[in-house]
Amino acid sequence: QVQLVESGGGSVQAGGSLRLSCTASGPTYTTACMAWFRQAPGEQREGVATITSDGFKTYADSVTGRFTISRDNAKSTLYLQMNSLKPEDTAMYYCASGPFGTYCASSTSHVAFAYWGQGTQVMVSS
């Protein structure tokens, strides 16, 4: 069984920064691909960034240049550094993972990811 636990959300003003963390427990093959998704009220869940176990990263166009995804495999922890935050970044942010064979890209539908955290809220005020 895989457990993903996010932390680090909060409220910031536009232009500010936040760092999200996601700690994973379970077999390492289940976290071959790790991702951050977000979902705003009334919107579909969208991919923000992904990273493979060997460090290959992808980003949604809307966050490229502002967000950085990283992972510490020794600590089984995924991170999302969010800089220059905008009000449109306001959403519930979810950590997700998938085993080897998951197409690991920010454009991949959330249905392809097998494991999910409970989410952490990010609110950006103007």
Side-chain angles (χ1 to χ4, degrees):
Q1 188 69 14
V2 176
Q3 276 196 316
L4 301 174
V5 180
E6 303 101 331
S7 61
S11 297
V12 295
Q13 290 192 325
S17 297
L18 284 173
R19 189 193 196 202
L20 306 183
S21 299
C22 170
T23 301
S25 61
T28 55
Y29 74 87
T30 61
T31 57
C33 173
M34 296 199 76
W36 289 101
F37 282 78
R38 66 185 181 186
Q39 188 167 19
E43 302 290 333
Q44 290 191 336
R45 192 166 297 190
E46 64 172 354
V48 175
T50 62
I51 185 168
T52 62
S53 55
D54 56 1
F56 181 75
K57 306 174 186 180
T58 71
Y59 296 94
D61 289 344
S62 59
V63 306
T64 297
R66 300 188 298 122
F67 292 10
T68 302
I69 191 171
S70 61
R71 63 190 290 171
D72 185 332
N73 291 330
K75 296 181 179 179
S76 298
T77 302
L78 176 72
Y79 303 99
L80 185 68
Q81 178 67 45
M82 304 186 294
N83 298 329
S84 303
L85 282 160
K86 304 176 181 180
E88 52 263 44
D89 294 318
T90 295
M92 185 72 80
Y93 282 71
Y94 296 92
C95 170
S97 73
F100 290 107
T102 303
Y103 185 70
C104 202
S106 59
S107 58
T108 301
S109 170
H110 67 278
V111 300
F113 289 84
Y115 308 104
W116 292 86
Q118 81 288 351
T120 186
Q121 181 69 46
V122 171
M123 186 167 294
V124 185
S125 58
S126 57

